[in-house]
């Protein structure tokens, strides 16, 4: 037996359980021993029978002195009853419909049982206790700390403990350590052998915890190594060095109708400095909605263009692309450059000679111009990388001299899609990713560790604060009246329906939206026009609704949490969120960012019927803070990292997700990876593990 032994070939498992385990994703021996408990129950203390109290859970050990099985008359149940005795007293045990017990147990057996003690017919009784025979010296389930696994039908924790125990005993001595010894020593981690044993069969709760800590450290360590490797590999490539044209940048800055914020200036500097290097930039620009990322991107673009290279910008939706096209046009119109627009829709494409008017040209013409280098900045949707006919991603548009790739709302694209614009070129263009997802820095450094980070952590000054309120059921009618007034004044309203956390999440959510839409259209706002948006719509349908909403065809948009990112609806003044307590703070903050994009005072109404103090406090943070980073840090502490984009892709087990909450520990594992990475050659085993890890992390 070794790590790669197939699950059904492990002695004692057989084909039935082999199938069930495979259904849980456990295909090999390694998968099995890395299937970790979700919690522990402490059954290490065995009480004397006389000390057990009625209605309390207890664990006792005794000898079976009688055993019988009967069928009840009324309900036709098989009842097994046994009497066990220790040197202080006796207790009756009773099980229902478990006929096999007659074969498993016999009079004279010594067993440990656990369950709740009750009085039945004046005798002490435990009903349906868990039990274990104590023929061996060392128990697997009771009389110790017991591991409880995430269970699925047909595979109980009891079964898992039973199969894992002997395997660990057998292979323990053969398990090679996966972490370098100096890391284990320096960070006081449990060695792998011990950690594997302790995680399944802990000798104390402290050791169980330490085992978990070792494994989460290891996970974060590997993610960090993996990212460092990616970062190192891209930095080795050749890129076009784009000199910083200070005079030009100053001129563009001065032509803007506003002064850049300090944060915008700082991030722009970081980007421009990176682009001067002969190796590709790989940078993520992170900033709240409305923090002015586009302006930074446009400035970087003009610097690239004036150095005779081309720029391509990809955004996830057609409206966003058109929005960017307009912004670039306005910002750069006096600088005499050509901007092209390419979307997947129709076969019409525009090109703009910025000092002139928009000209409509065919796609072929646009592609031709791009290839000849006549288009300086090409802005588009996925159509930039998807070949229409084969629907395959790859290099599609040809450039003469591509210097800078910009990807907006990067989390909406897969890693491969992002890379498609960069790869297969003689010189790798610089990459600037942008995201409005605020995620705490400590996490971003881990999850996006292959990218360099630039953070815009301040908003332009003139912004009106969005008035945020927590609204209880009692105030609902009053708020509806308020909304009517806002609409009459020309404002538009978003209604976000509560998040549903169930198996049929999406179906349920759509039902809720439809119901809410019907109710609001008929009963509350019959005089207004409403539209509805949900995740089962195609992106074309969603795009159309957003476009119509922006063109004021509707007053109210009722939506699930799918409302598109980044889109400007300048007239939207009210964001009303139902069941707001069910969302994370960073998500609420994202919703709030949909309003307040125009000159009007805007409002964010957080509806909740929860009266819990904790919920009130959490939602209260929305009133107190405007910063997405601040709110996401709170989210991380209160709810863990599960709500953040980009984290799920790592497929981390729950305990490692939980470990990410701990900023200090996360940082330690990352530092350890940084120390080891330059000497990776010294650790052939670690290198191989890393390669296996790379294969296992399916990034899409
Ligand atoms: P986002 O970071 O969400 O992409 P945008 O770049 O779309 O933000 O900027 C939002 C709005 O703020 C735009 O209308 C833009 O013109 C404006 N803006 C950007 N920077 C500043 C600034 N420094 N001062 C004032 N307004 C700004
Ligand atoms: Mg934007």
């Amino acid at each position: 037996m070794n790590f790669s032994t197939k699950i059904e070939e492990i002695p004692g498992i057989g084909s039935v359980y082999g199938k069930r385990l495979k259904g849980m994703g456990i295909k090999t021996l390694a998968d099995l021993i890395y299937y970790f408990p979700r919690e522990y129950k402490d059954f290490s203390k065995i009480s004397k029978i006389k000390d057990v109290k009625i209605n309390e859970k207890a664990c006792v050990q005794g000898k079976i002195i009688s055993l019988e099985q009967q069928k009840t008359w009324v309900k036709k149940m098989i009842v097994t009853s046994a009497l066990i005795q220790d040197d202080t007293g006796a207790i009756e045990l009773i099980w229902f419909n478990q006929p096999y017990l007659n074969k498993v147990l016999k009079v004279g057996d010594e067993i440990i049982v656990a369950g709740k003690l009750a009085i039945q017919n004046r005798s002490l009784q435990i009903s349906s206790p868990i039990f274990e025979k104590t023929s061996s010296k060392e128990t697997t389930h009771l009389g110790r700390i017991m591991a409880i696994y995430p269970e699925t039908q047909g595979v109980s924790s009891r079964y898992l403990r039973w199969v894992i125990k002997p395997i660990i005993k057998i292979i323990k001595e053969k398990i090679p350590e996966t972490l370098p010894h100096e890391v284990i020593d320096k960070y006081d981690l449990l060695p792998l052998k011990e950690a594997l044993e302790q995680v399944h069969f802990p000798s104390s709760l402290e050791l169980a915890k330490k085992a978990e800590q070792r494994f989460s450290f290891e996970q974060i360590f590997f993610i960090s190594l993996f990212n460092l490797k990616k970062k190192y590999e891209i930095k080795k490539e050749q890129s076009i060095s784009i000199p910083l044209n200070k005079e030009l940048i100053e001129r563009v800055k001065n032509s803007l109708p506003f002064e850049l914020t300090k944060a915008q200036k700082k991030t722009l500097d970081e980007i421009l400095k990176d682009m001067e290097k002969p190796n590709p930039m790989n940078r993520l620009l992170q900033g709240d909605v409305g923090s002015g990322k586009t302006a930074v991107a446009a400035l970087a673009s003009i610097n690239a263009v004036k150095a005779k290279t081309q720029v391509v910008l990809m955004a996830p939706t057609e409206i966003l692309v058109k929005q960017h096209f307009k912004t670039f046009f306005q910002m750069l119109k006096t600088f005499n450059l050509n901007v092209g627009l390419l979307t997947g829709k129709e076969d019409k494409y525009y090109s703009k000679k910025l000092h002139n008017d928009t000209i409509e040209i065919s796609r072929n013409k646009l592609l031709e111009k791009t290839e000849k280098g006549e288009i300086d900045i090409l802005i588009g949707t996925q159509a930039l990388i998807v070949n229409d006919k084969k629907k395959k991603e790859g290099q599609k548009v040809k450039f003469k001299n591509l210097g800078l790739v910009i990807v907006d709302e990067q989390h909406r694209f897969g890693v491969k899609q992002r890379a498609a614009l960069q790869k297969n070129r003689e010189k790798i263009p610089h990459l600037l990713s942008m995201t409005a997802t605020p995620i705490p820095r400590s996490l971003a450094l881990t999850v996006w560790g292959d990218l360099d980070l630039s953070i815009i952590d301040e908003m332009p000054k003139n912004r009106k604060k969005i008035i945020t309120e927590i609204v209880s059921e009692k105030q609902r009618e009053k708020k509806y009246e308020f909304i009517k007034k806002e609409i009459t004044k020309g404002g538009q309203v978003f209604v976000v329906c509560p998040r549903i956390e169930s198996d049929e999440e999406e179906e349920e959510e759509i039902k809720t939206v439809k119901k809410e839409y019907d109710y609001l259209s008929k009963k509350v706002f019959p005089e207004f026009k409403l539209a509805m948006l949900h995740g089962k719509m195609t992106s074309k349908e969603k795009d159309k609704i957003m476009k119509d909403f922006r063109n004021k065809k509707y007053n109210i948009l009722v939506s699930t949490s799918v409302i598109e990112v980044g889109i400007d609806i300048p007239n939207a003044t009210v964001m009303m969120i139902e069941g707001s307590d069910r969302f994370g703070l960073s998500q609420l903050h994202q919703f709030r960012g949909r309003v307040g994009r125009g000159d009007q005072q805007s409002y964010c109404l957080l509806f909740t019927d929860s009266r819990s103090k904790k919920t009130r406090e959490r939602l209260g943070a929305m009133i107190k803070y405007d910063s997405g980073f601040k709110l996401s840090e709170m989210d991380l502490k209160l709810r863990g990292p599960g709500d953040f984009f980009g984290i799920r892709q790592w497929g981390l087990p729950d305990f490692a997700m939980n470990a990410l909450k701990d900023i200090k520990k996360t940082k330690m594992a990352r530092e350890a990876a940084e120390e080891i990475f330059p000497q990776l050659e010294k650790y052939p085993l670690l290198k191989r593990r890393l390669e296996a890890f790379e294969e296992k992390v399916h990034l899409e």
Side-chain angles (χ1 to χ4, degrees):
M1 271 202 302
N2 59 39
F3 266 33
S4 48
T5 302
K6 291 208 185 76
I7 196 76
E8 64 274 21
E9 284 163 12
I10 296 173
I13 288 190
S15 70
V16 174
Y17 271 96
K19 233 188 221 145
R20 289 182 193 166
L21 289 165
K22 273 195 216 158
M24 296 157 69
I26 302 173
K27 300 192 180 81
T28 62
L29 184 142
D31 294 338
L32 181 64
I33 58 176
Y34 275 91
Y35 190 77
F36 292 153
R38 91 183 130 74
E39 61 172 328
Y40 299 97
K41 285 203 173 128
D42 190 350
F43 288 114
S44 58
K45 187 172 169 280
I46 294 176
S47 310
K48 290 290 175 197
I49 288 178
K50 76 167 167 33
D51 297 330
V52 180
K53 300 205 169 59
I54 311 281
N55 284 331
E56 266 177 23
K57 280 203 180 131
C59 188
V60 297
Q61 180 168 2
K63 192 178 263 174
I64 300 180
I65 50 176
S66 74
L67 181 72
E68 58 185 59
Q69 213 163 54
Q70 301 179 308
K71 209 174 213 163
T72 57
W73 278 100
V74 193
K75 288 188 188 151
K76 295 260 186 285
M77 266 193 301
I78 293 173
V79 178
T80 314
S81 58
L83 196 65
I84 61 159
Q85 193 178 43
D86 68 4
D87 48 14
T88 66
I91 287 182
E92 192 188 11
L93 310 174
I94 192 151
W95 291 273
F96 303 97
N97 282 337
Q98 301 199 30
Y100 66 92
L101 285 176
N102 226 354
K103 298 197 186 77
V104 180
L105 299 172
K106 57 181 195 307
V107 171
D109 281 347
E110 188 77 19
I111 63 171
I112 305 179
V113 300
K116 197 159 131 187
L117 190 72
I119 291 204
Q120 277 290 333
N121 306 327
R122 279 201 237 134
S123 73
L124 294 174
Q125 189 187 79
I126 300 180
S127 172
S128 308
I130 43 179
F131 69 92
E132 176 170 12
K133 288 206 269 185
T134 58
S135 43
S136 65
K137 309 198 273 297
E138 205 190 289
T139 56
T140 306
H141 315 286
L142 291 171
R144 57 170 310 127
I145 293 166
M146 184 169 92
I148 313 287
Y149 295 86
E151 291 175 28
T152 28
Q153 220 178 6
V155 183
S156 65
S157 284
R158 190 184 181 91
Y159 176 78
L160 285 167
R161 286 189 299 267
W162 178 78
V163 289
I164 292 173
K165 183 118 194 229
I167 293 176
I168 296 219
K169 281 266 175 297
I170 293 166
I171 65 159
K172 192 176 159 191
E173 290 314 318
K174 288 197 273 180
I175 302 173
E177 178 56 58
T178 44
L179 287 174
H181 289 286
E182 54 261 58
V183 171
I184 291 185
D185 290 346
K186 181 167 176 188
Y187 297 93
D188 186 27
L189 304 168
L190 275 192
L192 181 59
K193 275 181 213 163
E194 237 179 283
L196 272 175
E197 188 157 49
Q198 291 298 331
V199 83
H200 294 291
F201 300 99
S203 8
S204 71
L205 285 172
E206 289 73 47
L207 278 166
K209 180 109 210 132
K210 242 188 136 188
E212 277 191 1
Q213 276 170 1
R214 182 228 141 93
F215 290 113
S216 28
F217 184 99
E218 190 171 351
Q219 297 270 355
I220 300 167
F221 177 79
F222 273 111
I223 291 176
S224 304
L225 270 187
F226 175 75
N227 280 328
L228 284 167
K229 188 159 176 251
K230 276 208 293 187
K231 197 167 176 169
Y232 172 78
E233 274 162 9
I234 189 101
K235 285 274 189 293
K236 263 196 333 210
E237 301 283 347
Q238 290 291 307
S239 189
I240 305 168
S241 157
I242 298 177
L244 164 62
N245 188 336
K246 272 202 176 123
E247 180 270 332
L248 170 75
I249 295 288
E250 281 315 307
R251 251 193 311 137
V252 188
K253 276 187 191 166
N254 291 334
S255 76
L256 297 176
F258 46 75
E259 156 135 33
L260 292 184
T261 60
K262 238 197 246 142
Q264 279 173 312
K265 285 182 194 157
K266 186 173 143 261
T267 51
L268 178 64
D269 278 352
E270 290 167 351
I271 292 163
L272 294 174
K273 278 215 183 82
D274 256 13
M275 287 178 13
E276 283 195 296
K277 294 181 188 148
N279 319 101
M281 164 170 81
N282 222 7
R283 194 167 272 282
L284 178 65
L285 177 61
Q286 224 190 334
D288 254 346
V289 172
S291 61
K293 295 184 289 294
T294 316
V296 174
L299 275 148
S301 300
I302 193 164
N303 189 59
V305 169
K306 292 298 174 184
K308 304 222 160 34
T309 69
Q310 291 169 290
V311 177
V312 62
L313 189 164
M314 181 165 74
T317 64
E318 200 201 320
I319 325 177
L320 261 180
V321 164
K322 288 195 170 151
Q323 200 173 287
H324 282 313
F325 186 58
K326 225 171 97 190
T327 311
F328 270 65
F329 169 69
Q330 273 161 3
M331 279 189 57
L332 307 176
K333 73 179 145 200
T334 51
F335 292 88
N336 190 27
L337 25 109
N338 293 335
V339 182
L341 173 69
L342 191 146
T343 69
K345 235 183 157 192
E346 298 160 42
D347 231 12
K348 274 186 204 157
Y349 299 89
Y350 307 88
S351 145
K352 229 164 196 179
K353 235 193 169 126
L354 287 180
H355 53 289
N356 275 333
D357 252 344
T358 310
I359 341 164
E360 217 172 88
I361 57 170
S362 72
R363 172 180 280 201
N364 280 341
K365 194 87 196 203
L366 181 69
L367 292 179
E368 199 187 301
K369 277 175 169 298
T370 307
E371 192 171 354
K372 278 196 203 148
E374 289 167 23
I375 301 288
D376 300 312
I377 303 175
L378 183 62
I379 300 178
T381 56
Q382 266 112 313
L384 287 167
I385 49 166
V386 178
N387 271 316
D388 293 329
K389 285 193 195 104
K390 294 188 207 124
K391 285 273 171 209
K392 251 174 78 181
E393 278 151 23
Q395 198 179 343
K396 176 191 175 166
V397 186
K398 292 202 174 70
F399 294 87
K400 188 169 171 219
N401 193 20
L402 184 60
L404 174 64
V405 173
I406 305 173
V407 180
D408 192 21
E409 307 298 350
Q410 59 110 24
H411 63 269
R412 296 280 306 272
F413 298 103
V415 172
K416 277 197 206 119
Q417 291 175 305
R418 271 182 270 157
L421 284 166
Q422 244 187 333
K423 68 179 182 197
N424 298 330
R425 300 181 198 279
E426 209 178 302
K427 294 205 164 177
I428 307 282
H430 299 285
L431 174 71
L432 177 64
S433 274
M434 304 199 283
T435 181
T437 313
I439 164 171
R441 193 179 165 81
S442 65
L443 260 194
L445 285 172
T446 302
V447 184
W448 295 324
D450 57 326
L451 303 168
D452 294 306
L453 288 183
S454 283
I455 300 176
I456 306 187
D457 52 6
E458 113 189 79
M459 296 297 266
K461 278 186 207 73
N462 51 3
R463 287 291 141 77
K464 272 213 176 80
K465 198 176 150 95
I466 297 164
I467 297 177
T468 303
E469 284 176 55
I470 302 173
V471 183
S472 62
E473 254 341 282
K474 275 194 301 207
Q475 301 158 286
R476 181 176 287 278
E477 294 309 316
K478 230 172 79 191
K479 286 296 162 197
Y480 281 153
E481 287 310 311
F482 169 77
I483 286 173
K484 282 180 194 168
K485 272 193 212 131
E486 276 295 308
I487 297 177
T488 319
K489 280 200 292 188
Q492 286 171 289
V493 178
F494 287 103
V495 178
V496 174
C497 294
R499 167 158 132 175
I500 282 144
E501 288 169 88
S502 72
D503 289 345
E504 294 99 41
E505 205 167 315
E506 201 164 18
E507 295 294 328
E508 280 298 312
E509 249 167 21
I510 292 165
K511 256 202 275 174
T512 321
V513 168
K514 284 184 178 152
K515 241 169 78 189
E516 186 67 15
Y517 168 81
D518 280 343
Y519 175 73
L520 292 177
S521 331
K522 287 185 192 125
K523 297 272 155 49
V524 188
F525 303 112
E527 67 271 47
F528 298 126
K529 290 205 187 66
L530 284 81
M532 152 171 90
L533 197 75
H534 59 71
K536 274 277 163 72
M537 292 172 156
T538 64
S539 35
K540 254 192 193 152
E541 287 168 328
K542 281 193 270 181
D543 247 29
K544 176 153 172 36
I545 289 191
M546 287 306 283
K547 211 170 1 186
D548 288 344
F549 188 52
R550 191 170 57 173
N551 294 334
K552 294 189 167 188
K553 281 197 190 151
Y554 307 111
N555 309 102
I556 301 174
L557 183 65
V558 186
S559 172
T560 54
S561 55
V562 300
I563 348 170
E564 294 296 318
V565 281
I567 293 157
D568 259 325
I569 314 274
N571 287 300
T573 59
V574 182
M575 166 57 66
M576 159 177 168
I577 303 161
E578 294 283 358
S580 59
D581 47 284
R582 299 201 203 172
F583 294 99
L585 294 176
S586 17
Q587 203 175 4
L588 291 174
H589 178 71
Q590 290 278 319
F591 295 148
R592 179 163 65 182
R594 305 287 129 245
V595 298
R597 320 270 310 205
D599 309 323
Q600 309 307 313
Q601 176 61 56
S602 294
Y603 303 86
C604 176
L605 307 177
L606 305 171
F607 279 70
T608 176
D609 43 22
S610 161
R611 290 214 190 91
S612 114
K613 200 173 152 222
K614 243 178 153 170
T615 306
R616 293 267 157 173
E617 259 172 34
R618 201 167 70 84
L619 292 178
M622 288 292 295
I623 302 176
K624 211 158 140 199
Y625 302 112
D626 302 323
S627 149
F629 288 103
K630 181 82 206 162
L631 291 165
S632 75
E633 259 165 42
M634 294 188 66
D635 249 358
L636 180 63
K637 273 197 211 114
L638 295 168
R639 290 166 60 107
D643 288 341
F644 300 124
F645 275 114
I647 306 245
R648 294 268 168 217
Q649 80 185 25
W650 295 106
L652 292 176
D654 286 349
F655 66 85
M657 289 288 274
N658 227 8
L660 284 171
K661 269 189 189 179
D662 190 332
I663 293 175
K664 229 168 87 194
K665 291 224 176 70
T666 307
K667 202 170 151 212
M668 280 197 311
R670 204 172 56 233
E671 278 170 8
E674 278 162 10
E675 281 162 34
I676 292 298
F677 182 70
Q679 340 158 32
L680 201 55
E681 293 304 322
K682 260 175 50 192
Y683 305 96
L685 191 65
L686 186 63
K687 220 175 132 192
R688 242 184 300 140
R689 273 271 311 197
L690 184 61
E691 276 152 19
F693 182 81
E694 278 178 72
E695 252 168 65
K696 221 173 127 186
V697 176
H698 297 297
L699 288 168
E700 297 310 305

